C-alpha cells in the first residue's frame, strides 16, 4: 500500500507520504515554499527558506530539509510553529542571515540567548556567546563618536566626545586611579568597597537629577451649547519620555519597554508607556521618587458628532504632556 500511495504523485506526499520508504523521500525533495512564515512563541517571522537552512545539521536545517511540511507543527493560520522565546529568536535569525553575531550594547540576555543557540544546535554561535566579551561592558572610549557593537558593527546613535570618561586631573600620574573610580569603590563611610551604584545614582549616593515627561491622548464630549456635563473617555495610553535609568527607577515593573527593549540605561527614549491608565497613579510614583511638576502643555482639536450642525455634540481630542523634574 505504501508503494501504491507513493506512485500516485499526491501533493505534499499524500496521506501516507511521511511514512514511505527512504528511497521515496530521497527521490522527492521537501515541498517547502521559498518564503516561510514562522510563529516562534507568538512572534511571527517571515524569511526565506535558504536562510533557515544556512547552517547544515542544525535543528532548523533538519526541519526544512529532512522533513515534509505536513510533519511540522503549525498554528491556526498555517505558519510553522516553534515553542521557543520569540523575542530572542530575532538574534538567531540575524545570525542565520550572514553568520555574524551582532548584539546591542548592555545586552542582558546573553546567557538566555546562548541557551536558545544550544537548542537550535548552532555550535559556532554558542561558542561566540560563551567567549569573554570584547570590549568590556563600559562605555566606548572618548575618541569614538558612535557606539560600537560586538564584532565591530556600528550603532545608530551619536555619543558626545569624552562620554563616560572623566577629564584628566592636573598633575595626576598616568598610573594613578582616577577620582571617579576611587569614589565608586568606596562606601559612604570611607571603608571597604560597597555596592555598585545604580545608573540613577550619583557618586555620593544621592539620586541623580533629571527630567521625565509623561503624556496622554484623551477625548471628551460636550453637549449642545456646553450646557451638559462633559463625558470624558478613558485614557488609552500614558507615554513616558526621558532617560531610561530614571524611567525604570520611578515606574519599575509598571513600565512597558516592549517598544524599545534594548535601550541602554544612559540613553533617552520616547517609546516607553505605562501598564496602567491612571494619571494620578503616575503622579504618585513621580512624587514618591522626589519629582515635582515644572511645566504642562496641551493641544486639541474639535469635531462635531454626526454632522456639521453647530447644535450637535462636540467631540474634543487632546494631547497633554506633563514635565517633571528632580533637582
Amino acid at each position: 500500500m505504501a508503494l501504491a500511495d507513493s506512485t500516485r504523485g499526491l501533493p505534499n506526499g499524500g496521506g501516507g507520504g511521511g511514512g514511505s520508504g527512504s528511497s521515496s523521500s530521497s527521490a522527492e525533495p521537501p515541498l517547502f515554499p521559498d518564503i516561510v512564515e514562522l510563529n516562534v512563541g507568538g512572534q511571527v517571522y517571515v524569511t526565506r527558506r535558504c536562510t533557515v537552512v544556512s547552517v547544515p545539521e542544525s535543528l532548523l536545517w533538519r526541519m526544512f530539509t529532512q522533513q515534509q511540511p505536513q510533519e511540522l507543527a503549525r498554528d491556526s493560520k498555517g505558519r510553522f510553529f516553534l515553542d521557543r522565546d520569540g523575542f530572542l529568536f530575532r538574534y538567531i535569525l540575524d545570525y542565520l542571515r550572514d553568520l555574524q553575531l551582532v548584539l546591542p550594547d548592555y545586552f542582558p540576555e546573553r546567557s538566555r540567548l546562548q541557551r536558545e543557540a544550544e537548542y537550535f544546535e548552532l555550535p559556532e554561535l554558542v561558542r561566540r556567546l560563551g567567549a569573554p566579551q570584547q570590549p568590556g561592558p563600559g562605555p566606548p572610549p572618548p575618541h569614538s563618536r558612535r557606539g560600537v557593537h560586538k564584532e565591530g558593527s556600528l550603532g545608530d546613535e551619536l555619543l558626545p566626545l569624552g562620554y563616560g570618561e572623566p577629564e584628566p586631573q592636573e598633575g595626576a600620574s598616568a598610573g594613578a586611579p582616577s577620582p571617579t573610580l576611587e569614589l565608586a569603590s568606596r562606601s559612604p563611610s570611607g571603608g571597604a568597597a560597597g555596592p555598585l551604584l545604580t545608573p540613577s545614582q550619583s557618586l555620593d549616593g544621592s539620586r541623580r537629577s533629571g527630567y521625565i515627561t509623561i503624556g496622554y491622548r484623551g477625548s471628551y464630549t460636550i453637549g449642545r451649547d456646553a450646557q451638559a456635563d462633559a463625558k470624558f473617555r478613558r485614557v488609552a495610553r500614558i507615554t513616558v519620555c526621558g532617560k531610561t535609568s530614571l524611567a525604570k527607577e520611578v515606574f519599575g515593573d509598571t513600565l512597558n519597554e516592549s517598544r524599545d527593549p534594548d535601550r541602554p540605561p544612559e540613553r533617552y527614549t520616547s517609546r516607553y508607556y505605562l501598564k496602567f491608565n491612571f494619571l494620578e497613579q503616575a503622579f504618585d510614583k513621580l512624587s514618591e521618587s522626589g519629582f515635582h511638576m515644572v511645566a504642562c502643555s496641551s493641544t486639541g482639536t474639535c469635531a462635531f458628532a454626526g454632522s456639521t450642525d453647530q447644535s450637535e455634540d462636540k467631540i474634543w481630542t487632546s494631547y497633554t504632556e506633563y514635565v517633571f523634574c528632580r533637582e
Side-chain angles (χ1 to χ4, degrees):
M1 291 303 295
L3 179 61
D5 287 340
S6 63
T7 57
R8 293 176 186 174
L10 296 177
N12 295 332
S20 38
S22 60
S23 60
S24 174
S25 61
S26 61
E28 297 182 2
L31 302 178
F32 288 99
D34 184 48
I35 305 297
V36 295
E37 295 186 42
L38 304 175
N39 179 347
V40 184
Q43 299 290 328
V44 177
Y45 294 89
V46 181
T47 185
R48 301 181 68 92
R49 177 179 172 272
C50 60
T51 299
V52 296
V53 301
S54 59
V55 178
E57 305 302 329
S58 65
L59 176 65
L60 291 172
W61 180 86
R62 291 201 306 272
M63 287 175 57
F64 290 93
T65 61
Q66 306 300 307
Q67 293 181 273
Q68 296 291 329
Q70 63 270 20
E71 297 176 334
L72 303 180
R74 294 177 183 255
D75 63 7
S76 58
K77 295 187 177 180
R79 296 178 289 236
F80 298 107
F81 179 75
L82 293 164
D83 190 16
R84 302 300 298 180
D85 192 313
F87 171 74
L88 293 177
F89 187 76
R90 59 188 289 198
Y91 302 109
I92 298 291
L93 193 58
D94 281 344
Y95 173 78
L96 293 175
R97 290 190 176 107
D98 52 17
L99 302 183
Q100 296 293 323
L101 174 61
V102 181
L103 298 177
D105 292 331
Y106 304 96
F107 185 66
E109 307 286 350
R110 195 177 186 94
S111 59
R112 294 182 58 190
L113 180 58
Q114 184 177 6
R115 184 178 63 185
E116 294 298 305
E118 293 171 353
Y119 174 82
F120 287 104
E121 302 178 24
L122 302 170
E124 178 61 21
L125 180 57
V126 173
R127 184 190 66 80
R128 296 187 188 184
L129 289 170
Q133 302 183 39
Q134 296 292 335
H143 60 269
S144 174
R145 289 189 61 95
R146 295 177 69 89
V148 180
H149 294 293
K150 309 299 179 291
E151 300 203 5
S153 67
L154 289 178
D156 296 329
E157 297 179 2
L158 297 176
L159 291 175
L161 291 175
Y163 174 82
E165 184 167 310
E167 296 181 2
Q169 300 291 328
E170 241 181 83
S173 62
S178 67
T180 301
L181 294 178
E182 187 176 356
L183 284 172
S185 62
R186 291 182 180 177
S187 65
S189 60
L196 295 178
L197 298 177
T198 63
S200 60
Q201 288 179 315
S202 61
L203 292 176
D204 60 0
S206 61
R207 294 180 296 187
R208 285 188 184 179
S209 60
Y211 291 84
I212 289 181
T213 301
I214 64 172
Y216 75 94
R217 187 183 305 277
S219 61
Y220 53 93
T221 303
I222 300 179
R224 63 181 62 184
D225 301 326
Q227 297 299 319
D229 293 336
K231 300 177 181 178
F232 189 79
R233 300 184 180 180
R234 182 177 64 89
V235 175
R237 178 176 291 176
I238 300 176
T239 60
V240 178
C241 309
K243 185 173 288 187
T244 302
S245 58
L246 288 178
K248 291 181 178 179
E249 175 200 344
V250 173
F251 297 107
D253 294 337
T254 63
L255 188 69
N256 193 320
E257 308 171 38
S258 60
R259 294 168 57 192
D260 201 359
D262 301 325
R263 182 68 57 179
E266 292 303 313
R267 296 289 194 274
Y268 290 84
T269 181
S270 61
R271 298 179 59 84
Y272 288 168
Y273 61 94
L274 300 179
K275 297 178 181 179
F276 54 83
N277 296 324
F278 300 101
L279 284 171
E280 294 78 6
Q281 186 175 352
F283 293 165
D284 287 342
K285 287 185 173 294
L286 286 161
S287 178
E288 292 168 0
S289 299
F291 284 81
H292 62 277
M293 188 186 302
V294 294
C296 173
S297 65
S298 181
T299 183
T301 58
C302 177
F304 294 95
S307 69
T308 58
D309 186 355
Q310 297 294 327
S311 64
E312 295 294 333
D313 291 345
K314 299 178 182 179
I315 299 179
W316 287 86
T317 301
S318 65
Y319 182 76
T320 306
E321 288 185 337
Y322 301 92
V323 182
F324 289 81
C325 172
R326 184 171 68 189
E327 298 175 350

